[in-house]
Amino acid sequence: MTARPLSPRVPADRPVRAVLVGCGGMSAAWLRAAATVPGLEVVGLVDLNEGAALARQSEFELLHAQTGTDLDAVLAATRPDLVFDCTIPDAHHATALTAFSHGVGVLGEKPLADTLERAQDMVQAGQHAGLFHAVIQNRRYDPNIRRVRAFVEGGRMGAVTGVHADFFLGPHFGGFRDTMEHVLLLDMAIHTFDAARLICGQDPVSVTCHEWNPAGSWYAHGANAVATFEMTGGVVFTYRGSWCAEGFPTTWESDWRITGTRGTVRWDGGDHPRAAVVTGTGGFFSEFEEMELPPLAPDARTGGHEGLIRDAVRVLREGGTAETVASDNIKSLAMVLAAIESAESGQKVSVTW
Ligand SMILES: NC(=O)c1ccc[n+]([C@@H]2O[C@H](COP(=O)([O-])OP(=O)(O)OC[C@H]3O[C@@H](n4cnc5c(N)ncnc54)[C@H](O)[C@@H]3O)[C@@H](O)[C@H]2O)c1
């Protein structure tokens, strides 16, 4: 199927108009971010529970915004340019298809969908309609991961051979995560897998994954996982993760070691990513220069949710493609679902999308 060119651009003399659907926990971060983006107006708030929409309307003083429980009706009444999808993963498919049926693009929360089939269907529907369709992957828009990516891409450490992430935290969330199946892989690991794709600039090929719920876990299922991905370009990405690790927590960004043919980058998720690059060879060990990675490039895309929303507005006005366009970001979801399949089958699984 050939994708149509993106639908007409939003002219500079009027705001980009958005309807937010799913006024739960994450919607506050979206509305806070949206309020800082020039030329963007939230014209509608939708939730199955109208009280949640009304609460956000009052909290963010969006008194002109239409509220409702039915996305279809609010889209018909407000005719926006974009839907912000902050619903639960099971509802992302129906939300996107409803938006597309009104000729409206979608910027949605991760994960793209709850199954690969639905994600593929959404990508095809968005492309067929020629509409904007992208996923919020806010951890890509972290200033330090941009420094890591720029350094790797610049080639000073040679060609990347390995990407290794440790994620060890012990959050006691309470709520739905306590009983969710594959809780670490489904709810959190997509951020780390997406970050690994960004860092090495390669696509996933296959995965072997072992998932377990360790003794003492306060989750019902799958709080720990270890996965090994083969990526294109001969790169191997390894992931060791736990959501019930008591003590010595990593950051939410993970603790990374990236190996290359002429050096290594280490990043603990904080503000001081470092590199060691080979300066001399021939001895038992090579000689190295150690350095903190260069500062952020002025044109780097950062800002978490706000940065992604800004970029969506820019693409709607100027054209181009969002970095987290659904047709590419489906690969991060495919990594999660293939890891789960491998954990369940005990087999190596090809990652397809
Ligand atoms: N990017 C991040 O760092 C991050 C962090 C947490 C959650 N998330 C993602 O954000 C999304 C929302 O998570 P949350 O924690 O806000 O969940 P939540 O349960 O707090 O809120 C979801 C809201 O959506 C509403 N809703 C569900 N189905 C709907 C439908 N069909 N139409 C209208 N409203 C509907 C619910 O009534 C609820 O108010 C999920 O996809 C989650 O994975 C992302």
Side-chain angles (χ1 to χ4, degrees), residues 21-27 46-49 52 86-89 91-92 109-111 136 138-139 177 187 191 305:
V21 55
C23 295
M26 274 316 286
S27 66
V46 179
D47 199 289
L48 294 178
N49 164 15
C86 304
T87 62
I88 55 173
H92 291 176
E109 259 303 347
K110 65 83 190 164
I136 285 267
N138 43 308
R139 286 169 205 279
R177 290 183 183 85
D187 199 52
H191 286 295
H305 277 76

Side-chain angles (χ1 to χ4, degrees), residues 15 30 32 84 110 112 122 139 161 165 171 200 212 251 287 293 307 320 322 331:
W30 283 66
R32 258 194 311 277
F84 290 157
K110 65 83 190 164
L112 179 57
M122 291 159 77
R139 286 169 205 279
T161 56
C200 66
W212 74 107
T251 60
E287 288 156 29
L293 299 197
K331 297 170 189 172

Side-chain angles (χ1 to χ4, degrees), residues 36-69:
T36 68
V37 175
L40 172 66
E41 190 182 357
V42 175
V43 295
L45 294 162
V46 179
D47 199 289
L48 294 178
N49 164 15
E50 189 159 15
L54 290 168
R56 289 293 186 230
Q57 183 191 42
S58 129
E59 184 184 346
F60 287 90
E61 298 180 356
L62 295 167
L63 301 181
H64 56 281
Q66 178 143 350
T67 59
T69 56

Side-chain angles (χ1 to χ4, degrees), residues 168 184 210-215 217 221-226 240-242 244 343:
F168 289 94
L184 177 73
H210 179 66
E211 182 193 42
W212 74 107
N213 205 30
S217 172
H221 189 263
N224 283 12
V226 173
R240 302 190 297 182
S242 174
C244 63

